[in-house]
Amino acid sequence: HVTSPLIYRGHAWGFWEQETICVNLETGRIAAACPFPGVRSCSSLVAADGRLLREHLYQQLFFFKADPNDFRQLGESWWRPPSHAECTTSVIADGRLFLRGKDCVYCYDLRK
């Protein structure tokens, strides 16, 4: 669709509608895969602190453990940010999640 893969901790991470995958950069083979609960995403993956963030098309956020040996979704789902702009990619910096909203930029503190 409109997304880009992510290189993080020596692996390429990507997805299609029903699955999020981890690709070994040396072999080009899928090292791990995890089902995705929902429909396609319009934003690219984001990584920080050993986790991947993937956004559901309907603006729900999901975290995954970014470990090819233990690749799994963390929790059922995350929350749905208010007034979130569609088809944008979030940013995680210094333990904070930044989202482009329809009316402003939102910042959520993830450090706790």
Side-chain angles (χ1 to χ4, degrees), residues 66-79:
D67 179 350
N69 298 314
D70 187 20
F71 186 41
R72 58 189 162 86
Q73 184 179 321
L74 300 171
E76 291 296 316
S77 70
W78 217 35
W79 93 110

Side-chain angles (χ1 to χ4, degrees), residues 7-29:
I7 305 299
Y8 183 67
R9 293 190 172 175
H11 291 82
W13 304 85
F15 60 86
W16 53 83
E17 291 183 19
Q18 296 91 13
E19 204 168 38
T20 307
I21 62 169
C22 172
V23 176
N24 182 307
L25 290 175
E26 291 182 17
T27 66
R29 294 190 177 148

